[in-house]
Each structure stands twice: as structure tokens, then as C-alpha cells.
Amino acid sequence: MRAFDYRAPTTLTEVLALLAQAKGEVRPLVGGTDLIPQLREGRKRPALVLDLKRIPDLGRLEYDPDMGLRIGAAVTCSAVAAHPQVRRHYAALAQAAALVGSRAIQNRASIGGNICNASPSADTVPPLLCLSARAFVAGGRGQREVELERFFQGPGKTILAKDELLVEVVVPPPAKRSASCYLRFTPRAEMDIAVAGVAALIVLDGGRQCQEARLALAAVAPRPLRVPTAEAALKGRALDAQALEEAGELAAQAAQPITDIRGGAEYRRRLVRVLTRQALEQCLAALQAGQR
Amino acid sequence: MKQPLRFTVNGEERALFVDTRATLIEALRDGLGLAGTKEGCSNGNCGACTVSLDGKPVLACLVLAVEAQGSQVATIEGLARDGRLDPLQRAFIAEGGLQCGFCTPGLLMLARSFLDQHPRPTEREIRAAISGNLCRCTGYDKIVRAIQRAARSQPAAGAAAGS
Ligand SMILES: Cc1cc2nc3c(=O)[nH]c(=O)nc-3n(C[C@H](O)[C@H](O)[C@H](O)COP(=O)(O)OP(=O)(O)OC[C@H]3O[C@@H](n4cnc5c(N)ncnc54)[C@H](O)[C@@H]3O)c2cc1C
Ligand code: FES
Ligand code: FES
């Protein structure tokens, strides 16, 4: 590991000043579950590691029926997975947070780190895309707000400039009669990285008719992927077996998987088809069970 | 680059200088001579290095020592009280929940915190909870039985989510 300076400021103003003044590369640090192995292997060589965990605002996780959910950049997967309102109103996100690594990992790993590490297999991202999350970014030129969908540029690449950091993620309030679900396939039930993952969200009208649907995929493209074709095909339809099957087919077509150590491209496509159907089924089941 | 680190380890205030690159497990083992905590994989996959940081189990190989500034750390050395083993340690002995013992300190720290949060776990919950702690020797059944035995022996205190 190359030598680096370590600072743990207590205000965002201080962080931004340090980012602006920095000579070499600066790496924000939250849980370190991605960053510390990267430092050890020399894949990241910052001059300064900037710990964000001592900034009280970034640790805030708040739900308000009118404003929705605010997830500070330093909020852990454990906190999100255990939060009663997240579990109730944003089930896909709670499910994904509970899948990241192990309990000990979740106690450190942040949602913000999962996002900023920009791995195509990041589990919490597809749910956030389905939930229409927005990212709040701060930097030398002030604040900006982007749809989370536009945050990713490729494996490990985000829109963040050198002097910018993610401050929080905001999710709008859940629609009435909506449900969401995240499913991933891994050879091992826990402690594994997705071969493929699918998040689904549906909003129903009075009956079984689909008012809106959103689908997002993990680990089958260079970045987390929405599936507008399948979403459009579901909109306005009765969500019967055939509709779900077609959505699965469209999602499989939209996937751009590669063959690697975790699975072949064709296998991943098939997983997407099955997981899409199952995720939609689970959304329907949750709505029928009156969870929302 | 060295920085001063002050933190509490097993109830005792400790101060030392650490390299910013040093991990918490290095500070504990090499800095403080607390060699009970083991380092297996150094990348978060085996759980051998599990310690408690501010009341929560974490992987000491994925925490920089400097991050523990002002924190409360508990390690396996602090689990027994006044020379008396924790009921969980006694259950591991009774059930033969260890062979070489390399995974044991991490498993005990993880399981202690898990049982504090979930006093009456199902077998499935136990297996899911310890999924980040690898054991090359026991085949896990005896570990699971040991945790079940410890659960039976403890009063059902108020359960809370999220350990
Ligand atoms: C054993 C193991 C199992 C894992 N299993 C899973 C899994 O099942 N699913 C999964 O999705 N991931 C998994 N991961 C990866 C990792 O745990 C997650 O990606 C985690 O959410 C990262 O969060 P962190 O807080 O630890 O990030 P850190 O390591 O602190 O940071 C990650 C990266 O993002 C940058 N960063 C962090 N916060 C900000 C910010 N606010 N602004 C700008 N940049 C920032 C850092 O500089 C760094 O480059 C696993 C990791 C390990 C070690
Ligand atoms: S040594 Fe830390 S998880 Fe293996
Ligand atoms: S007892 Fe040897 S690794 Fe578990």
C-alpha cells in the first residue's frame, strides 16, 4: 500500500475545502469494504483518504410521507435493511441491502459506497433506479442533483468530478398501490456476488391493471441498466402470466451480459428472464398480501 | 504517515501511534499484542478477524486503525469476565464447536452480538448470520449447535433488529 494522509473532518464545508485544495488523488472513505482491498492491491493510490463518517449530516436516514426517503452518503446497509419504513415502503432496497456481503460487512458498507464504487453488480443500485432515486452531489462548483440513472458511466466510472462527492440519495414517496422487489442469483445464498440481479417496481390501478412498471438489472451490462422496453410493455396491461413472461423476454433481450468467471452470457440472459418474472410475481404477491 | 490513535479496547483506554495504512487488526495484534483475533484472508471474505466496534461486529481487516479514533473496541480477549468464560464459549466447548480454533474468535464475536440481538434464533437464522465466517474444520454443524445451546441457556431479553 502506498502511503497516504488520512483526515476525518466533521463538516461538509471542511470536506469540500480539503477536496478543493488537494494536490494528488483524494478518495472518500465510508465503510472501506471496497476501498481498503483496492488500496491493499494498489488499484487505488490516493494521496489523501477522506473519512466521511464523522459528518453527522451524512449519517442521516430519514423517511417522511411527503418528502420520501433521504439516505445520507454514510448510511450503512445494516441501517437501511433494518429501517421499518424502508422495509415497508421500499422493500426492494431493504432486500438488496440485506444481501450485501455478511452482517459484519453490512455494518460498515454504505449505500453511498455501493453507488460510488460503480460496480455493475452493486446490489442496492437496481432497486434505487426502480424507486426513481436522485443523487445529490457537492463539489467546488456548488451542488448539483442528478437522476441516479445518469450517475454511472461504466465499471468503476461515475459522473463525479475529482473535487466532487456524493452527499445523499433521495427517493420520492412511494406511489399508492405500489410494490417493489429485488432478486439476485448467486451460487451461494450469502456472501456472493450477483451472477444477475433484477429489481422490479409496479404500480397498480384499482384492479390488476398495471399503471406503471420499472425494471432494473444488475451484473448484466457495463453499468446498472433500466429496461424501458419491458416497462412500456407492462404499462396499462393486466399483469397475467403472459405479460410477466413477455417482460422477462424483453429484459433478457435488453441485457448486455459478458461471459466471465461467474457465468456465461447466455446463462445470464436466461437468469434475467426468470428473475424478472419472479420479481414481478413477488410484487403482485406483496400487493395482494396487503403489505401496501 | 503516523497518526496518534486513542481508543478503548476491552474497557481499557489505549494510545499508540499507527501508520495510516495499518488496519485495525494490525493495531490490535502488533500494536497492542492482542493476538487472539486472527487474520485469514485480509479481504473481508473469511470473518476470522471479526471484532466489535462501537457495539457492532465488523471485520478488523477492513477497518483502518485510524478509523477507530475514540471508539470502543471489544475483542475475544474481553469476552470472558473475571476468569469466567462467556456462556457462548462454554457452549462451543460442550458441543465441540472448534477444532483448529482459527475461526473461533471471529465466530464467537459475531455470534455473541447476534445472540444479544436475537435471543431465540432459528437454525436458519443462525446459519445466515454466520455465513460470513468460514470454518475449514468443523463442517459448521457443531458451531450451529453450540450457538443454539448458548441461546437456550440465556434469558430471552428484549430483541432488537440490526446488529
Ligand atoms: C466480502 C465482501 C462481500 C461483498 N458483497 C457484496 C454484495 O453482495 N453486493 C454488493 O453490492 N457489494 C458487495 N461488496 C462490495 C461492498 O461491500 C459494497 O459495494 C459496499 O456497499 C461499499 O460501501 P463502503 O461504504 O464500504 O464503500 P467504500 O469502500 O468506503 O467506498 C467505495 C468507493 O466509493 C468511493 N466513495 C464512497 N463514498 C463516496 C461518496 N460519498 N462520494 C464519492 N465517492 C465515494 C470511495 O472512494 C471508493 O472508491 C462486498 C465486499 C466484500 C469485501
Ligand atoms: S481476515 Fe478479515 S475477513 Fe478474512
Ligand atoms: S475450527 Fe479450524 S477453521 Fe474452524
Side-chain angles (χ1 to χ4, degrees), chain B residues 85 88-105 107-108 135-144 146:
Chain B
L85 293 180
L88 188 62
Q89 290 172 303
R90 294 204 297 274
F92 266 65
I93 295 169
E95 294 289 347
L98 66 154
Q99 287 176 31
C100 80
F102 195 82
C103 68
T104 314
L107 263 162
L108 286 168
C135 175
R136 298 298 304 268
C137 306
T138 63
Y140 300 102
D141 282 357
K142 293 174 172 182
I143 291 170
V144 173

Side-chain angles (χ1 to χ4, degrees), chain A residues 43-263:
Chain A
R43 285 187 282 146
K44 295 258 161 70
R45 298 164 165 273
L48 171 64
V49 168
L50 209 47
D51 190 343
L52 306 181
K53 291 189 294 296
R54 312 249 166 192
I55 304 167
D57 270 358
L58 299 194
R60 295 227 306 253
L61 174 61
E62 290 170 349
Y63 174 73
D64 178 286
D66 298 320
M67 308 293 288
L69 184 69
R70 291 177 50 180
I71 309 169
V75 170
T76 61
C77 288
S78 298
V80 165
H83 195 280
Q85 272 121 2
V86 178
R87 294 163 69 112
R88 187 172 153 76
H89 300 298
Y90 307 99
L93 179 60
Q95 289 158 4
L99 285 173
V100 173
S102 61
R103 299 171 78 81
I105 296 267
Q106 286 158 28
N107 282 338
R108 299 292 284 177
S110 62
I111 302 290
N114 200 222
I115 293 170
C116 292
N117 195 58
S119 162
S121 61
D123 283 311
T124 68
V125 173
L128 287 168
L129 296 189
C130 284
L131 294 164
S132 311
R134 303 180 73 77
F136 285 76
V137 170
R141 285 150 299 161
Q143 299 240 2
R144 58 182 176 133
E145 185 191 336
V146 288
E147 287 175 48
L148 189 61
E149 207 182 326
R150 307 192 180 282
F151 193 80
F152 307 97
Q153 297 187 321
K157 289 209 175 64
T158 70
I159 57 150
L160 290 179
K162 264 183 171 333
D163 65 345
E164 283 184 319
L165 84 171
L166 177 69
V167 175
E168 68 176 0
V169 173
V170 176
V171 187
K176 279 210 174 65
R177 287 182 54 75
S178 67
S180 67
C181 171
Y182 178 69
L183 296 177
R184 75 170 188 190
F185 180 81
T186 54
R188 203 186 157 206
E190 297 96 6
M191 284 294 285
D192 211 339
I193 302 294
V195 183
V198 175
L201 175 138
I202 57 173
V203 186
L204 294 189
D205 63 9
R208 221 180 135 91
Q209 209 88 332
C210 176
Q211 210 166 65
E212 204 196 325
R214 290 173 74 100
L215 287 164
L217 313 179
V220 292
R223 55 201 174 91
L225 205 65
R226 281 270 307 280
V227 194
T229 48
E231 293 171 2
L234 289 168
K235 194 172 172 149
R237 268 180 83 171
L239 294 182
D240 52 19
Q242 201 196 336
L244 269 45
E245 200 55 56
E246 274 178 43
E249 193 50 52
L250 288 167
Q253 282 170 23
Q256 310 153 20
I258 54 164
T259 294
D260 68 7
I261 184 175
R262 295 188 205 283

Side-chain angles (χ1 to χ4, degrees), chain B residues 18-36:
Chain B
V18 291
D19 192 295
T20 52
R21 289 169 290 185
T23 54
L24 178 57
I25 191 165
E26 287 163 352
L28 292 170
R29 287 180 58 94
D30 306 338
L32 299 176
L34 294 171

